[in-house]
Amino acid sequence: GESVGLHLPTLSVQEGDNSIINCAYSNSASDYFIWYKQESGKGPQFIIDIRSNMDKRQGQRVTVLLNKTVKHLSLQIAATQPGDSAVYFCAEQAYPGSARQLTFGSGTQLTVLP
Amino acid sequence: GAVVSQHPSWVICKSGTSVKIECRSLDFQATTMFWYRQFPKQSLMLMATSNEGSKATYEQGVEKDKFLINHASLTLSTLTVTSAHPEDSSFYICSARRQGGSEQYFGPGTRLTVT
C-alpha cells in the first residue's frame, strides 16, 4: 500500500527578503556540519559547511551559524531569489572524512513568493 | 570537477524483477561510495557504505541480500534491487568521496517505480 510521508516544515518568503532555516542536531560528538539544497527530482547540492571550532561561516549570499551549546544550526540566505526555492537539509558528521556517515535532518521546504 | 552520475535516471519495473542502478564518479577516484534512499517528502536515509574492493557495510534494517552493492572500481558502484516489490519504489541517490576527502558529492538520483 501507499506509505504516508511526513510533511516537511515549510518556509515561505518574499523575493528579496532574507531567509533563515533552522536545524537541531542531536549528536554532541558531531564535528562537521553541512547544508544541502535539493530541488525536486534531483540529488542534494552542497551549499556550505562548518566545523565545530567555528560559530559562523559565510559564503556567497549564505551564512551558516552554529551554536554548539544548544546543538543548533541555521542557514541564512540573503536576498532570496526564486531559484532558491527547494528543500534544504542540514547534515552532521563525526569529523570531516569520517567513516561515519552523514546523518541528514528532516529538511525544510523553502518557497520564494514573487 | 567532482561530478557524479547515475544511470538510469528513472526506471519502471515489474514486481519480482531485479533492477541495477549505476553510480559513477566522472572526474575523480572515489574510494568510498554511499547509497541513500529517499521517500517522498522525507529525508535521505543511508542504506550502505561501500569501499572500493571490499564488501559494503549495510545500515541496520537494510537487507544485504535484497540490495546488492558492488564497488569494483574507483569510479563505479552499482546497486541491484533484487526481487523488487512496490514498497521498494523510491528515489535512490548515491554519493562519492575521494580518498582522504571530506566532502560527499551526490549523484542526481534514480527514481524507481515498481508496478
Side-chain angles (χ1 to χ4, degrees), chain A residues 3-8 32 36 38 41-44 46 89 93 96-102 104-107, chain B residues 34 36 38-46 49 59 87 91 93 97 100-104 106-109 111:
Chain A
S3 61
V4 177
L6 300 174
H7 290 284
L8 289 171
Y32 182 55
Y36 291 95
Q38 187 180 28
K42 297 184 179 180
F46 174 92
F89 293 98
Q93 191 174 61
S98 171
R100 184 169 173 263
Q101 66 276 4
L102 287 174
F104 281 80
S106 56
Chain B
F34 304 85
Y36 296 84
Q38 186 179 32
F39 293 107
K41 297 197 180 298
Q42 294 191 28
S43 188
L44 282 75
M45 297 300 295
L46 181 69
T49 302
E59 294 301 299
E87 56 264 33
F91 195 49
I93 305 170
R97 191 173 67 199
S102 59
E103 187 173 341
Q104 288 186 30
F106 284 84
R111 172 75 58 194

Coordinates of all heavy atoms in Angstrom, one line a residue, chain A residues 3-8 32 36 38 41-44 46 89 93 96-102 104-107, chain B residues 34 36 38-46 49 59 87 91 93 97 100-104 106-109 111:
Chain A
S3 N 2.6 4.4 1.3 CA 3.1 4.8 2.6 C 2.8 6.3 2.8 O 2.7 7.1 1.9 CB 4.6 4.7 2.7 OG 5.3 5.4 1.7
V4 N 2.6 6.7 4.0 CA 2.2 8.1 4.3 C 3.5 8.8 4.6 O 4.3 8.4 5.5 CB 1.3 8.1 5.5 CG1 1.0 9.6 5.9 CG2 0.0 7.4 5.2
G5 N 3.9 9.8 3.8 CA 5.1 10.5 4.1 C 4.9 11.6 5.1 O 3.8 12.0 5.4
L6 N 6.0 12.0 5.7 CA 6.0 13.1 6.6 C 5.8 14.4 5.9 O 6.1 14.5 4.7 CB 7.3 13.2 7.4 CG 7.7 11.9 8.2 CD1 9.1 12.0 8.7 CD2 6.7 11.7 9.3
H7 N 5.3 15.4 6.5 CA 5.1 16.7 5.9 C 6.3 17.5 6.3 O 6.6 17.7 7.5 CB 3.8 17.4 6.4 CG 2.6 16.7 5.8 ND1 2.2 16.9 4.5 CD2 1.7 15.9 6.4 CE1 1.1 16.2 4.3 NE2 0.8 15.6 5.4
L8 N 7.1 18.0 5.3 CA 8.3 18.8 5.6 C 7.8 20.1 6.2 O 6.9 20.7 5.8 CB 9.0 19.0 4.4 CG 9.8 17.9 3.7 CD1 10.3 18.3 2.4 CD2 10.9 17.4 4.6
Y32 N 31.3 18.2 12.3 CA 31.3 18.8 10.9 C 29.8 18.8 10.5 O 29.1 17.8 10.6 CB 32.1 17.9 10.0 CG 32.3 18.3 8.6 CD1 32.7 19.6 8.3 CD2 32.0 17.4 7.6 CE1 32.9 19.9 6.9 CE2 32.1 17.8 6.3 CZ 32.6 19.0 5.9 OH 32.7 19.4 4.6
Y36 N 22.7 21.3 2.6 CA 22.5 20.9 1.2 C 21.1 21.5 0.7 O 20.2 21.7 1.5 CB 22.4 19.4 1.1 CG 23.6 18.6 1.3 CD1 24.0 18.1 2.5 CD2 24.5 18.4 0.2 CE1 25.2 17.4 2.7 CE2 25.7 17.8 0.4 CZ 26.0 17.3 1.7 OH 27.2 16.6 1.9
Q38 N 18.2 20.7 -2.2 CA 17.7 19.7 -3.1 C 16.5 20.2 -3.8 O 15.4 20.5 -3.2 CB 17.3 18.4 -2.3 CG 17.0 17.2 -3.2 CD 16.6 16.0 -2.5 OE1 16.1 16.0 -1.4 NE2 16.9 14.8 -3.2
G41 N 13.3 16.2 -7.6 CA 13.7 15.2 -8.6 C 15.2 15.2 -8.8 O 15.7 14.6 -9.7
K42 N 16.0 15.9 -8.0 CA 17.4 16.0 -8.1 C 18.1 15.5 -6.9 O 17.5 15.4 -5.8 CB 17.8 17.4 -8.5 CG 17.3 17.9 -9.8 CD 17.8 19.3 -10.2 CE 17.3 19.7 -11.5 NZ 17.8 21.1 -11.8
G43 N 19.4 15.3 -7.0 CA 20.2 15.0 -5.8 C 20.6 16.2 -5.0 O 20.4 17.3 -5.5
P44 N 21.0 16.0 -3.8 CA 21.4 17.2 -2.9 C 22.6 17.9 -3.5 O 23.5 17.3 -4.1 CB 21.8 16.5 -1.6 CG 21.2 15.2 -1.6 CD 21.1 14.8 -3.1
F46 N 25.6 20.6 -2.5 CA 26.4 21.2 -1.4 C 26.2 22.8 -1.4 O 26.3 23.4 -2.5 CB 27.8 20.9 -1.5 CG 28.8 21.5 -0.5 CD1 29.0 21.0 0.7 CD2 29.3 22.8 -0.8 CE1 29.9 21.6 1.6 CE2 30.2 23.4 0.1 CZ 30.5 22.8 1.3
F89 N 18.4 20.7 3.6 CA 18.8 19.7 4.6 C 20.1 20.1 5.3 O 21.0 20.5 4.6 CB 19.0 18.3 4.0 CG 17.8 17.7 3.4 CD1 17.5 17.7 2.1 CD2 16.9 17.0 4.2 CE1 16.4 17.1 1.5 CE2 15.7 16.4 3.7 CZ 15.5 16.5 2.3
Q93 N 28.3 15.1 10.8 CA 29.2 14.0 10.7 C 30.2 14.1 11.9 O 30.4 15.2 12.4 CB 30.0 14.1 9.4 CG 30.8 12.9 9.0 CD 31.4 13.1 7.6 OE1 32.2 14.0 7.4 NE2 31.1 12.2 6.7
P96 N 35.3 15.6 9.6 CA 35.4 15.5 8.1 C 36.1 14.3 7.6 O 37.1 13.9 8.2 CB 36.2 16.8 7.8 CG 36.0 17.7 8.9 CD 35.8 16.8 10.1
G97 N 35.5 13.6 6.7 CA 36.1 12.4 6.1 C 35.9 11.2 6.9 O 36.5 10.2 6.7
S98 N 35.1 11.3 8.0 CA 34.9 10.2 8.9 C 34.3 9.0 8.2 O 33.4 9.2 7.3 CB 34.0 10.6 10.1 OG 33.7 9.5 10.8
A99 N 34.7 7.8 8.5 CA 34.0 6.6 8.0 C 32.5 6.7 8.5 O 31.7 6.1 7.8 CB 34.7 5.4 8.5
R100 N 32.3 7.3 9.6 CA 30.9 7.5 10.0 C 30.2 8.4 9.0 O 30.7 9.4 8.5 CB 30.9 8.2 11.4 CG 29.5 8.3 12.0 CD 29.5 8.7 13.4 NE 28.2 8.9 13.9 CZ 27.7 10.2 14.0 NH1 28.4 11.2 13.6 NH2 26.4 10.3 14.4
Q101 N 29.0 8.0 8.7 CA 28.3 8.6 7.6 C 27.7 9.9 8.0 O 27.6 10.2 9.1 CB 27.2 7.6 7.1 CG 26.1 7.4 8.1 CD 26.4 6.3 9.1 OE1 27.5 5.8 9.1 NE2 25.5 6.0 10.0
L102 N 27.2 10.6 7.0 CA 26.4 11.8 7.2 C 25.0 11.4 7.7 O 24.5 10.4 7.3 CB 26.2 12.5 5.9 CG 27.4 13.3 5.3 CD1 27.0 13.9 3.9 CD2 27.8 14.4 6.2
F104 N 21.3 13.0 8.0 CA 20.6 14.1 7.5 C 19.4 14.5 8.4 O 18.8 13.6 9.0 CB 20.0 13.8 6.1 CG 21.0 13.9 5.0 CD1 21.9 12.9 4.7 CD2 21.0 15.0 4.2 CE1 22.8 13.0 3.7 CE2 21.9 15.2 3.2 CZ 22.8 14.1 2.9
G105 N 19.2 15.8 8.5 CA 18.0 16.3 9.2 C 16.8 16.1 8.3 O 16.8 15.6 7.2
S106 N 15.6 16.5 8.9 CA 14.4 16.2 8.2 C 14.1 17.1 7.0 O 13.3 16.8 6.2 CB 13.2 16.3 9.2 OG 13.2 17.6 9.8
G107 N 14.7 18.2 6.9 CA 14.6 19.1 5.8 C 13.5 20.2 6.0 O 12.6 20.0 6.8
Chain B
F34 N 28.4 5.9 -1.2 CA 27.3 5.8 -0.3 C 26.0 5.6 -1.1 O 25.8 6.3 -2.2 CB 27.2 7.0 0.6 CG 28.4 7.3 1.4 CD1 29.4 8.0 0.9 CD2 28.5 6.8 2.7 CE1 30.6 8.3 1.7 CE2 29.7 7.1 3.5 CZ 30.7 7.8 2.9
Y36 N 21.8 6.0 -0.7 CA 20.8 6.5 0.1 C 19.4 6.2 -0.6 O 19.3 6.1 -1.8 CB 20.9 8.0 0.2 CG 22.1 8.6 1.0 CD1 23.3 8.7 0.3 CD2 22.0 8.9 2.3 CE1 24.4 9.2 1.0 CE2 23.1 9.4 3.0 CZ 24.3 9.5 2.3 OH 25.4 10.0 3.0
Q38 N 15.4 7.7 -0.5 CA 14.5 8.9 -0.1 C 13.1 8.7 -0.5 O 12.8 8.6 -1.8 CB 15.1 10.2 -0.7 CG 14.4 11.4 -0.2 CD 15.0 12.7 -0.7 OE1 15.5 12.7 -1.9 NE2 15.0 13.8 0.0
F39 N 12.2 8.6 0.4 CA 10.8 8.5 0.1 C 10.2 9.9 0.0 O 10.8 10.9 0.5 CB 10.1 7.7 1.2 CG 10.4 6.2 1.2 CD1 11.2 5.7 2.1 CD2 10.0 5.4 0.1 CE1 11.6 4.3 2.1 CE2 10.4 4.1 0.1 CZ 11.2 3.5 1.1
P40 N 9.1 10.1 -0.6 CA 8.5 11.4 -0.9 C 8.4 12.2 0.4 O 7.9 11.7 1.5 CB 7.1 11.1 -1.5 CG 7.3 9.8 -2.2 CD 8.2 9.0 -1.3
K41 N 8.8 13.5 0.4 CA 8.7 14.4 1.5 C 9.5 13.9 2.8 O 9.1 14.3 3.9 CB 7.3 14.7 1.8 CG 6.6 15.4 0.7 CD 5.3 16.1 1.1 CE 4.6 16.8 0.0 NZ 5.4 17.9 -0.6
Q42 N 10.5 13.1 2.6 CA 11.3 12.6 3.7 C 12.7 12.9 3.4 O 13.1 13.3 2.3 CB 11.0 11.1 3.9 CG 9.6 10.8 4.4 CD 9.5 9.3 4.9 OE1 10.5 8.7 5.3 NE2 8.3 8.8 4.8
S43 N 13.5 12.7 4.4 CA 15.0 12.9 4.3 C 15.7 11.7 3.6 O 15.1 10.7 3.3 CB 15.5 13.2 5.7 OG 16.9 13.6 5.6
L44 N 16.9 11.9 3.4 CA 17.8 10.9 2.9 C 18.1 9.9 4.0 O 18.6 10.3 5.1 CB 19.1 11.4 2.3 CG 19.0 12.1 0.9 CD1 18.3 13.4 1.0 CD2 20.4 12.2 0.3
M45 N 18.0 8.6 3.7 CA 18.3 7.6 4.7 C 19.4 6.7 4.1 O 19.3 6.2 3.0 CB 17.1 6.7 5.0 CG 16.0 7.5 5.7 SD 16.5 8.3 7.2 CE 16.8 6.8 8.2
L46 N 20.5 6.7 4.8 CA 21.7 5.9 4.3 C 21.3 4.4 4.3 O 20.8 3.9 5.3 CB 22.9 6.1 5.2 CG 24.2 5.4 4.8 CD1 24.7 5.9 3.5 CD2 25.2 5.5 5.9
T49 N 27.3 1.7 2.9 CA 28.6 2.4 2.6 C 29.5 1.4 1.9 O 29.6 0.2 2.4 CB 29.3 2.9 3.8 OG1 28.4 3.8 4.5 CG2 30.6 3.6 3.5
E59 N 23.4 -0.5 6.6 CA 22.8 0.1 7.8 C 21.7 -0.9 8.4 O 21.2 -1.8 7.7 CB 22.1 1.4 7.5 CG 23.1 2.5 7.1 CD 24.1 2.7 8.2 OE1 23.7 3.2 9.3 OE2 25.3 2.6 8.0
E87 N 6.8 -1.6 -2.6 CA 7.3 -0.8 -1.4 C 8.8 -0.4 -1.6 O 9.3 0.4 -0.8 CB 7.2 -1.6 -0.1 CG 7.8 -3.0 -0.1 CD 6.8 -4.1 -0.4 OE1 5.9 -3.8 -1.2 OE2 7.0 -5.2 0.1
F91 N 13.3 7.0 -4.4 CA 14.3 7.8 -5.1 C 15.7 7.3 -4.5 O 15.9 7.4 -3.3 CB 14.1 9.3 -4.8 CG 14.9 10.2 -5.7 CD1 14.9 10.0 -7.1 CD2 15.6 11.3 -5.2 CE1 15.6 10.9 -7.9 CE2 16.3 12.2 -6.0 CZ 16.3 12.0 -7.4
I93 N 19.7 7.6 -4.3 CA 20.7 8.6 -4.5 C 22.1 8.0 -4.1 O 22.2 7.4 -3.0 CB 20.5 9.9 -3.7 CG1 19.1 10.4 -4.1 CG2 21.5 10.9 -4.0 CD1 18.7 11.5 -3.2
R97 N 33.1 9.9 -2.4 CA 34.0 10.7 -1.7 C 35.4 10.3 -2.1 O 35.7 9.1 -2.2 CB 33.8 10.5 -0.1 CG 34.6 11.5 0.7 CD 34.2 11.3 2.2 NE 34.6 10.0 2.7 CZ 34.1 9.5 3.8 NH1 33.1 10.1 4.5 NH2 34.5 8.4 4.3
G100 N 40.7 10.4 1.5 CA 41.2 11.5 2.3 C 40.3 12.7 2.3 O 40.6 13.7 3.0
G101 N 39.3 12.7 1.4 CA 38.5 13.9 1.3 C 37.4 13.9 2.4 O 37.1 12.9 3.0
S102 N 36.8 15.1 2.5 CA 35.7 15.2 3.5 C 34.3 15.4 2.8 O 33.3 15.0 3.4 CB 36.0 16.4 4.4 OG 36.1 17.6 3.6
E103 N 34.3 15.9 1.7 CA 33.0 16.2 1.1 C 32.5 15.0 0.3 O 33.2 14.3 -0.4 CB 33.1 17.4 0.1 CG 31.8 17.9 -0.4 CD 31.9 19.2 -1.2 OE1 32.9 19.9 -1.1 OE2 31.0 19.4 -2.0
Q104 N 31.2 14.8 0.4 CA 30.5 13.8 -0.4 C 29.8 14.5 -1.6 O 29.2 15.5 -1.4 CB 29.4 13.1 0.4 CG 29.9 12.1 1.4 CD 28.8 11.3 2.1 OE1 27.7 11.0 1.5 NE2 29.0 10.9 3.3
F106 N 27.2 14.2 -4.5 CA 25.9 13.5 -4.8 C 25.6 13.3 -6.2 O 25.8 14.3 -7.0 CB 24.8 14.1 -4.0 CG 24.8 13.8 -2.5 CD1 25.5 14.6 -1.7 CD2 24.1 12.8 -2.0 CE1 25.6 14.4 -0.3 CE2 24.1 12.5 -0.6 CZ 24.9 13.3 0.2
G107 N 25.1 12.2 -6.6 CA 24.5 12.0 -7.9 C 23.1 12.6 -8.0 O 22.6 13.0 -7.0
P108 N 22.6 12.6 -9.2 CA 21.3 13.2 -9.5 C 20.1 12.3 -9.0 O 19.0 12.8 -9.1 CB 21.3 13.4 -11.0 CG 22.1 12.3 -11.5 CD 23.2 12.1 -10.5
G109 N 20.4 11.1 -8.6 CA 19.3 10.2 -8.2 C 18.7 9.4 -9.3 O 18.7 9.7 -10.5
R111 N 14.9 7.4 -9.9 CA 13.6 7.2 -9.5 C 13.2 5.8 -9.9 O 13.1 5.5 -11.1 CB 12.6 8.2 -10.1 CG 11.1 8.0 -9.9 CD 10.7 8.3 -8.5 NE 11.0 9.7 -8.2 CZ 11.0 10.2 -6.9 NH1 10.7 9.4 -5.9 NH2 11.2 11.5 -6.7

